[in-house]
Every structure is written in structure tokens, then in C-alpha cells.
Amino acid sequence: MSILEKTELIKNKELKAEDNVENFMEIINKKNKSINALLEVNEERAVKKAEEISRKIKNNEKVGSLAGLVFAVKANINVEDFTISAASKTLENYIGSYDATVIKKIKEEDGIIIGMTNLDEFAAGSSTESSYYGLTNNPSAPGRISGGSSGGSAAAIASHMCDIAIGSDTGGSIRNPASHCGVIGFKPTYGGVSRQGLLDLSMSLDQIGPIANDVSGIAIALNNLISHDPHECTSLKWDTPNFLDAINTDDLNGKKIATIKQFHEITDDKINKVIDDSIDKIEDIGGEIVELDFNYIDLALPTYYLINYVEFFSSTRKYDGRKYGYKIEDACGDEVLRRIKLGSYISQQEFSGKYYKKALQSRSLIRTEINKLLKDVDLIVGPTVPKLPHKIGDKLDPMEMYAYDVLTVIANLGGIPAGSIKAGESNGIPVGLQIQGKPEEDYKILELMHLLEVR
Ligand code: GLN
């Protein structure tokens, strides 16, 4: 049953919202201990909300478009009365005192929040191994990392602990774990979804988005998450389509779909094999495939990480231990400390324009180039992640960890929408296809995802 079908069953009184919650609770109770996708669960509040929805339905009152759907939220997004730890000891005692804009919207539309998901500490990572609360196992490839930083959200979806999980994506954190866990993850156009209430990793790159098991779930989520936020200066005024219409397309009608030579060159052969099959499929469903060059691939990671360090350093200055939590430098793990130290160093050097200014110039080069490539085509497709998820216990150095992100950071640097959908498997390990589009053409990505899902 798709998420769309489920919402109809609930509205038509064929499935009770309470039963939807209880079914998920059963799975959570059975599996979460070993998977560690959810850091906190509140069954009581979820059931109460479900009962309220059922009452409205019984009385034939109008309910919201998310009525009875169960959500899990990455623990770096504020939800009232849950622990918003960002998986850091720094904030282990910080209880959300308000709802982020996206959470308000989910609640208004009668979505049910069941709990908070695991992540890399402050979303700074690609494996969810740096969580203060322990790593998240990959339900689709046991014994391997779930990816990150929204590893808990992707694993919650892959193990069917909720209908829709909310993540954040600064350099790939929705798409990377979606790829490793074999589910669908979507990073909308920058500015489409309000960031108000999200703990920043790197504010000029951060974007909130959904993870789900089917395209209708992503579409329903986007219909609610994307909207103008007058309190946020980067928020877009965007006349959005009904994203659910994307699941009615039945042909690509000659849409031009690009592959990028350099994306293939840096990717593991095992992954390319799976991706090539997907590209053949896209041709079968009416896409016209063209190959393009992206000449700045070597700049992607240095540019991304420089900007990330500087913006993260600045956003962590509020964690000084005076108002709430501990002083971050006293409580955080290695990767977070590395970013704070390097961000501080780079900021101090800034009078000479040595690093950050160069990173901004290189960012605008990357943005111009990716948008130029997209001018002549509808979408760009390729691998989401260039290598398979490593085994739990394998120790990676920082550069090896960063290398996971080379194909995903481009969309954040360029502000463009991008999603990942399962393309297939390599030796039983899921492989994701990344689909990128022009700003505000998120809809086209969903259309292609839908066609791949049904064929
Ligand atoms: N892995 C990237 C990083 O460590 C991306 C993280 C993210 O998107 N939140 O910064």
C-alpha cells in the first residue's frame, strides 16, 4: 500500500489512525534496539493525537492532508517536548521549547510525530557513526553503516518504523543514507522549505526534506513542507505545483536526461554497473540520454568543506554553556571539534581573503556551471554516492569519509533540487540513483522517480 492509498484508507474510515500508530510501535519495539534509528519515542502523545484525528473523521469534520500519517524527525529539528540533542552530549538535556516551521505545518495537517531519529553529531558526517548515542545499523545491508548524517531517518523508513521521516541535507545528508538504505530521499531547491527551527550545520547549504518508501510519500510531504516563510530571508516565493500530480505521468515524452562523464569516472565500477542499468531503463521509458562534462569535480569537496567549517564555527558560538547545554568544545566528539578549530582558523585568516573568499568564488563557479549544464537538459542522473557503505567497525580517516560526499555536495553548492531513489543492488547492498534538476523544478525529479518506481 502506498502512502497516498493509506491516507485515503484513513479518511474513509477503513484504517484507524490509532492502528497505524500501533502497527509502527510494534515494529519499533521489535527492531529499534538493534537498529538504533530512533533516539526517542513518545507513544502516548502519538496515540492521543491519533485519537483526536479519529474523532474528527468519525464526526465527518475536515482533516488535514497528512491525517494519521506517522512521522519521525531528525533530532536536529525543534519539536516541542522532545530532546533536540543533535546527537551531541552538548545538548543532551535540551528539550525543544517550540515547533520548527515544518513541524507546525505537519501538526496542523494532522500528521503524527512518533519520535526523533539518530544522526551524526550536529549532522556533520556521512555515516551516523559519530552520534553520541551510538551508530545506526543499516536495515537493508546488515553490518554496514546506514549512511549519514540522516542515517536514523533513512533506517527508520527502511525498517518501516514510520510513514515519512524528516531529514536535513547540507551536503548530501538526506540522499546519502537514502542511497545506502535503499529508500527515497529528497533535498528540495534551496529556500523552498523553511529552515526556521533547524539547528544549522552550514546555513547557506542546509535544507530540510523528506525520506519515504514511495514517491507518493515524498510528494505528499513536499506539498506540505514547501512554502514561503516570511520570517526567513532566504525563503523562496514559489508558486508550487501539486507534487502529487507527478505520480500520474506515464511517459518521459522525450525529456532530455544527462549523464556526466566525470561522475562516472570517480565512481566504483560495481555502482556504475547498477546505474547504467537504470539509465537504460530511463531510455526505455522515453528519455533522451545525452552525456555532458562537469569540469569542476575536483573543486567540489574543498569548496564545500571550507564553507561548512566557517559557517559551522560561527553557528556553534551560541553553545557556550551559559544559556543551555554544555560548552560545545568541552562536550563534542572529534569531527565536530575538527570543524570548529578549522573554522576558527580560517575565519581568523579571513582578513587576507586566503581561504573563505576563494571558496566563495569557487562556489559561484560550480553553481554557474551546474546551472549551465541544466539549461539544455531537463534532468541530470548518476550515482548518488561513489562507493558502497563500509562495514561497521572499519575506521575511515576524515578524507575517506568526506569522499562519500563528492557527488551530493554539488546540488547544495548550486542550490538545486536533488533526490535519490534505489536503482538496484550490488551483492545485496542498495545503490541509489541521484536525479538533479533546475531550481524550482523539483516536480520533474518526482516524475522520473515515479516512472522508475512503477516500471
Ligand atoms: N557529509 C557531509 C558533511 O559531513 C554532509 C552532511 C549533511 O548534509 N548534513 O558535512
Side-chain angles (χ1 to χ4, degrees), residues 25 28 32 36-43 45 71-73 75 79-85 92 94-96 113-118 133:
M25 276 313 304
I28 291 168
N32 194 47
N36 198 27
L38 295 168
L39 296 178
E40 186 181 4
V41 177
N42 194 314
E43 180 177 1
R45 280 208 298 269
F71 286 75
V73 180
V79 185
E80 206 176 339
D81 294 333
F82 276 101
T83 306
I84 314 306
S85 65
E92 67 176 339
Y94 172 62
I95 309 290
I113 293 171
I114 201 153
M116 307 304 291
T117 62
N118 203 5
Y133 301 98

Side-chain angles (χ1 to χ4, degrees), residues 189-213:
T189 299
Y190 184 82
V193 181
S194 169
R195 285 182 298 109
Q196 192 267 344
L198 167 71
L199 309 191
D200 319 298
L201 171 58
S202 183
M203 59 161 291
S204 73
L205 303 163
D206 297 333
Q207 191 64 182
I208 292 173
I211 301 179
N213 273 312

Side-chain angles (χ1 to χ4, degrees), residues 74 76 120 122-127 148-150 168-176 201-202 205-207 304-305 308-309 335 339 401-402 404-405 408-409 412:
K74 188 173 181 180
N76 63 349
D120 277 294
F122 282 104
S126 320
S127 68
S149 63
S150 315
S168 66
D169 190 312
T170 308
S173 278
I174 290 175
R175 292 159 286 155
N176 166 306
L201 171 58
S202 183
L205 303 163
D206 297 333
Q207 191 64 182
Y304 168 80
Y305 275 97
N308 189 296
Y309 291 161
E335 180 59 26
R339 292 188 194 207
M401 190 64 85
Y402 295 172
Y404 274 118
D405 307 324
T408 43
V409 295
N412 304 78

